[in-house]
Amino acid sequence: MLTNISNVLRACAQRNGAAAVVSARTYADFTNEATFEIKKCDTFKLDEGPATQVVLTRDEGLQYYRTMQTMRRMELKADQLYKQKIIRGFCHLYDGQEACAVGIEAAINLSDHLITAYRAHGYTYTRGGTVKEIMAELTGRRGGIAKGKGGSMHMYCKHFYGGNGIVGAQVPLGAGVALACKYQGNNELCVCLYGDGAANQGQIFETYNMAALWKLPVIFICENNRYGMGTSVERAAASTDYFKRGEFIPGLRVDGMDVLCVREASKFAADHCRSGKGPILMELQTYRYHGHSMSDPGVSYRTREEIQEVRSKSDPISMLKDRMLSNNMASVEELKEIDVEVRKEIEDAAQFATTDPEPPLEDLCNHIFHNNPPLEVRGTNPWSKLKSVS
Amino acid sequence: MAASLRCFLRSGKKAVSALGQREFHKSAPVAAQVTVRDALNQAMDEELERDERVFLMGEEVAQYDGAYKVSRGLWKKYGDKRIIDTPISEMGFAGIAVGAAMAGLRPICEFMTFNFSMQAIDQVINSAAKTCYMSAGLQAVPIVFRGPNGASAGVAAQHSQCFAAWYAHCPGLKVVSPWNSEDAKGLLKSAIRDDNPVVFLENELLYGVPFEMSEEAQSKDFTIPIGKAKVERAGTHVTLVSHSRYVGYCLDAAAVLTKEGIECEVINLRTIRPMDVESIEASLMKTNHLVTVEGGWPQFGVGAEICARIMEGNDRLTASGRRLSSRRGC
């Protein structure tokens, strides 16, 4: 029936001519929601999996589109600034993986908790950071989300625990956050992310054991982008079924390029946790277009053809765009308008990030301790005394 | 002098237990003999009662009453939620404790000995110590890592390492090393109330040693500030600086040397980081002679740091230091 309506509308539009189409079209002409068939998840130790028929509303679709596009543009801008040497140090870009961050956030609340590794710019955004703050942190300025002291890998905001540099260390931390949720009885959960490379870290298995033993409300999520730095999953893991590696923890393998798949699976996982059943593990099959970091061209261990194929067949933003357009949930112009707005937001943020001053020298020794009286800190030589305030 | 000090290493325990005798009064509470173990137990009990965000986790802390019985009775009183037995997974449970601290709780993470903390040292340094700085103060980590440190009796090399120097090297951590029962109780309470990661180095051989605890020290609000050393014995000829069990050795040595007319000033560091250098400098202005005494290895150790600071510091000081420590490997 929805298809019929959209066909009729299109037919009307064509009769009036192209110019009239633009002015005559109001947002009331769009379909408010549509049902989509999504890929079934592989399950492990689960009797049932997430739904395969999902409803997407127009508002949701536009919001996901805008968020993913913002993340994409932000990462590409960071690439540009890095090549101009305005961003230095480490910079691990998330483009290609947008559906993961957006899908997860769509299934949880801001009052829930999330922790990830170093490929964290996208999550900083979905958890509440602004593009301005994120970019200024990348350029190390005082307007940055961590006042310029954390950089790419150490961004924090409410209920978002970074941004963690040591591979795998964030997983026990995430379980600890979940322990605090259970301890405080607040019905919140913790989403704890790691990559396919980190999945072989011993401390993750220690964490699986304790999380399952104590039934902690934690969703372990393995973002499998097929490469841990330059090592493909086949060369790193004896078992590449990352969703089964939790052994006694139920698991799901999800198409991480489809924002609706990720959302449904995350909703399923969140319900599982909140019902007191303990932890659950999700493997999101995704892909990064950039190399491991800005110092990696990303083509010595994989082919350009592979990257191109994923970009053309599975790009998360294109997939959502096609879905919305073919179901008359938005117009090309409307989406273009969003693109323009996003581009402007990124440009403004980049401008800010480039011109904002660096943190003052006095800030160098601050924040060593929290809630502490000021103390004297030795500088680079015995006569150099610096002050540290909390 | 080194020989004298070495002679009295052996008599340490006898001298200490000779101090103070129980007196019974009908009216006001008095100083009592309390072992370090009981002092630590009291500190944890009082802080668990005072703040429901405080909890204890580690191997054997609950049903076993603590590997060294330091947490005796706490599980019976507070239950599974607040006294948590962990599997043997130091890196995992230390990380879980740090995560819980990040999310608003106040964990006490026990390492059965600090030798096992090496398994988890990444969580202590990179996740706990550095986070407040990297987040520009946004993310606090109010956690205490505690357990026995350093030499014990015949437990061999893998179980005898002193970690004071390793942890005290790192900014963002506070490192505390109590000697007697008052130190143990007051400093542990301060550590638990501190909003920063504190490494609390106990000593297994001190657990069973009774010390006199003043009436004030027995109260529920008794705390000792972190970062302040204590002059245990005033003197004029030489300054002995030490921490943990070896403070007792210094006092014994001082008792012997006084008969030869040498008055030692004994400083109990109490906190290794931040170190109270001012107290040491003030003492050296009097004595001009320094000996540091520690249980750890000498190279790059606590004594090495004290000597370096004295050498670099106050130009009026002409003291030079000597270090006493456990044997250097090579």
Side-chain angles (χ1 to χ4, degrees):
Chain A
M1 183 200 167
L2 290 167
T3 335
N4 287 337
I5 294 174
S6 64
N7 285 339
V8 166
L9 283 171
R10 234 176 263 132
C12 291
Q14 277 160 3
R15 247 184 278 128
N16 292 338
V21 170
V22 177
S23 53
R25 213 101 182 256
T26 64
Y27 293 144
D29 295 335
F30 291 119
T31 319
N32 205 40
E33 61 177 54
T35 308
F36 295 95
E37 184 82 28
I38 56 172
K39 215 183 271 180
K40 187 161 189 266
C41 296
D42 295 320
T43 58
F44 175 69
K45 294 220 155 107
L46 282 166
D47 296 324
E48 44 168 41
T52 48
Q53 293 253 339
V54 298
V55 173
L56 175 72
T57 69
R58 192 181 117 80
D59 287 340
E60 282 169 351
L62 289 172
Q63 191 227 315
Y64 302 161
Y65 180 83
R66 181 184 287 271
T67 312
M68 288 201 285
Q69 192 68 288
T70 307
M71 280 162 58
R72 176 68 59 90
R73 296 258 132 239
M74 180 176 76
E75 295 296 75
L76 293 178
K77 193 56 163 176
D79 171 281
Q80 199 179 60
L81 291 175
Y82 195 94
K83 287 174 175 148
Q84 293 175 289
K85 295 200 179 11
I86 298 171
I87 297 177
R88 303 169 306 131
F90 284 135
C91 193
H92 307 86
L93 298 177
Y94 198 65
D95 51 312
Q97 300 186 210
E98 295 86 357
C100 297
V102 174
I104 291 168
E105 195 62 48
I108 61 174
N109 310 310
L110 276 174
S111 56
D112 289 314
H113 308 259
L114 192 141
I115 189 170
T116 185
Y118 48 77
R119 202 174 300 279
H121 311 158
Y123 288 100
T124 315
Y125 183 66
T126 52
R127 283 266 98 194
T130 64
V131 183
K132 227 166 146 176
E133 292 174 313
I134 294 170
M135 300 212 78
E137 189 59 39
L138 290 175
T139 55
R141 309 300 165 99
R142 63 180 75 179
I145 201 165
K147 301 197 178 87
K149 296 180 82 171
S152 167
M153 298 189 293
H154 306 291
M155 301 192 189
Y156 302 82
C157 58
K158 188 154 191 256
H159 290 203
F160 175 57
Y161 304 87
N164 287 276
I166 307 297
V167 173
Q170 77 278 11
V171 179
L173 294 181
V177 171
L179 185 136
C181 292
K182 183 167 182 181
Y183 189 104
Q184 292 164 331
N186 52 26
N187 203 34
E188 289 162 12
L189 53 80
C190 183
V191 177
C192 181
L193 294 123
Y194 55 94
D196 49 280
N200 298 312
Q201 270 266 315
Q203 57 188 316
I204 293 186
F205 295 89
E206 294 188 6
T207 309
Y208 289 157
N209 182 41
M210 285 183 272
L213 207 53
W214 300 333
K215 290 202 162 47
L216 301 180
V218 51
I219 305 175
F220 294 112
I221 301 188
C222 176
E223 277 181 296
N224 177 4
N225 60 17
R226 306 196 211 168
Y227 300 93
M229 217 160 150
T231 308
S232 68
V233 292
E234 299 80 38
R235 296 200 302 126
S239 161
T240 55
D241 290 333
Y242 294 103
F243 70 114
K244 290 185 184 169
R245 300 280 290 274
E247 200 190 336
F248 32 77
I249 297 179
L252 288 170
R253 182 160 50 196
V254 182
D255 178 3
M257 302 305 270
D258 180 351
V259 68
L260 294 179
C261 272
V262 178
R263 186 186 73 175
E264 279 321 293
S266 304
K267 268 192 190 144
F268 180 89
D271 289 339
H272 183 274
C273 279
R274 279 191 238 274
S275 65
K277 294 197 185 114
I280 187 168
L281 209 165
M282 270 167 52
E283 177 188 339
L284 302 179
Q285 292 183 305
T286 183
Y287 199 82
R288 54 165 161 81
Y289 297 145
H290 269 85
H292 162 72
S293 71
M294 284 307 298
S295 50
D296 169 26
V299 287
S300 63
Y301 49 86
R302 57 184 186 174
T303 62
R304 283 185 214 273
E305 288 75 45
E306 181 189 278
I307 305 171
Q308 210 22 61
E309 190 180 348
V310 177
R311 226 190 250 278
S312 56
K313 293 198 183 134
S314 321
D315 183 272
I317 301 177
S318 304
M319 207 192 294
L320 178 66
K321 185 174 175 182
D322 290 342
R323 273 194 175 132
M324 290 190 71
L325 290 176
S326 58
N327 284 274
N328 193 38
M329 297 181 80
S331 72
V332 175
E333 293 79 21
E334 191 180 10
L335 295 180
K336 269 214 176 74
E337 220 175 283
I338 295 178
D339 290 349
V340 167
E341 283 164 17
V342 165
R343 205 157 285 172
K344 175 152 197 324
E345 187 184 356
I346 305 300
E347 277 308 319
D348 289 346
Q351 179 64 13
F352 174 74
T354 317
T355 54
D356 198 40
E358 286 182 344
L361 199 57
E362 299 84 66
D363 215 28
L364 180 67
C365 292
N366 288 342
H367 315 299
I368 293 177
F369 291 126
H370 184 84
N371 201 19
N372 212 59
L375 56 120
E376 203 172 69
V377 173
R378 179 193 164 114
T380 55
N381 60 62
W383 307 277
S384 158
K385 301 270 182 238
L386 304 170
K387 191 160 177 231
S388 174
V389 297
S390 284
Chain B
M1 189 214 172
S4 316
L5 279 168
R6 239 178 280 137
C7 275
F8 282 83
L9 291 178
R10 263 170 267 130
S11 67
K13 222 174 181 167
K14 281 184 235 151
V16 164
S17 49
L19 288 169
Q21 272 156 25
R22 210 82 185 262
E23 290 177 28
F24 294 90
H25 288 266
K26 285 179 211 154
S27 45
V30 291
Q33 288 281 300
V34 180
T35 61
V36 170
R37 175 184 287 114
D38 290 340
L40 293 167
N41 187 286
Q42 269 174 40
M44 287 197 284
D45 191 356
E46 288 168 10
E47 295 306 300
L48 281 158
E49 195 177 295
R50 175 181 179 269
D51 187 341
E52 57 181 29
R53 297 169 300 172
V54 176
F55 71 97
L56 171 67
M57 71 189 289
E59 292 155 12
E60 311 304 340
V61 295
Q63 297 192 17
Y64 198 87
D65 270 332
Y68 299 98
K69 306 295 181 231
V70 177
S71 54
R72 177 169 39 210
L74 296 179
W75 174 66
K76 271 216 178 72
K77 185 171 176 186
Y78 295 101
D80 287 329
K81 180 182 167 180
R82 303 189 67 199
I83 312 293
I84 305 176
D85 273 337
T86 65
I88 307 173
S89 310
E90 276 77 6
M91 200 167 184
F93 73 70
I96 286 178
V98 174
M102 289 180 173
L105 298 183
R106 304 187 74 91
I108 306 168
C109 177
E110 177 176 307
F111 291 119
M112 198 181 280
T113 75
F114 265 92
N115 302 286
F116 316 139
S117 75
M118 249 207 281
Q119 303 262 355
I121 201 165
D122 175 69
Q123 296 289 359
V124 178
I125 308 295
N126 283 319
S127 301
K130 296 181 185 174
T131 295
C132 187
Y133 185 82
M134 292 192 300
S135 66
L138 277 173
Q139 181 63 68
V141 187
I143 188 168
V144 175
F145 297 101
R146 53 159 287 275
N149 174 62
S152 183
V155 294
Q158 289 178 346
H159 286 71
S160 305
Q161 188 167 333
C162 176
F163 286 82
W166 283 28
Y167 286 119
H169 185 60
C170 305
L173 272 186
K174 296 189 184 182
V175 181
V176 174
S177 186
W179 167 54
N180 61 16
S181 300
E182 271 197 28
D183 286 358
K185 185 174 175 197
L187 288 169
L188 185 54
K189 284 166 80 75
S190 290
I192 294 168
R193 295 183 193 191
D194 200 307
D195 287 341
N196 295 287
V198 180
V199 169
F200 193 87
L201 305 170
E202 301 161 5
N203 186 287
E204 197 227 313
L205 296 172
L206 284 175
Y207 284 152
V209 178
F211 289 94
E212 192 168 290
M213 262 181 102
S214 66
E215 180 196 328
E216 190 213 345
Q218 291 171 64
S219 94
K220 281 190 180 172
D221 288 308
F222 173 71
T223 58
I224 290 178
I226 292 178
K228 202 84 194 66
K230 183 181 180 202
V231 179
E232 297 286 350
R233 182 190 193 281
T236 47
H237 297 118
V238 59
T239 302
L240 305 179
V241 181
S242 187
H243 70 99
S244 190
R245 185 153 176 261
Y246 310 92
V247 175
Y249 291 7
C250 292
L251 289 169
D252 298 340
V256 173
L257 289 170
T258 192
K259 296 192 190 115
E260 297 179 31
I262 301 170
E263 293 305 322
C264 300
E265 180 142 296
V266 177
I267 297 183
N268 173 5
L269 279 175
R270 285 180 160 177
T271 302
I272 316 288
R273 182 176 186 119
M275 191 181 288
D276 183 1
V277 191
E278 289 77 29
S279 293
I280 303 175
E281 284 184 349
S283 175
L284 286 176
M285 293 300 282
K286 274 194 299 178
T287 69
N288 212 41
H289 291 87
L290 169 70
V291 178
T292 67
V293 185
E294 66 191 293
W297 296 316
Q299 199 157 318
F300 302 100
V302 176
E305 175 66 18
I306 295 172
C307 289
R309 291 223 209 172
I310 297 306
M311 176 201 67
E312 284 181 337
N314 185 347
D315 284 333
R316 290 173 294 150
L317 275 179
T318 54
S320 62
R322 293 292 181 270
R323 299 166 294 163
L324 281 181
S325 66
S326 64
R327 279 202 178 78
R328 188 173 73 178
C330 64

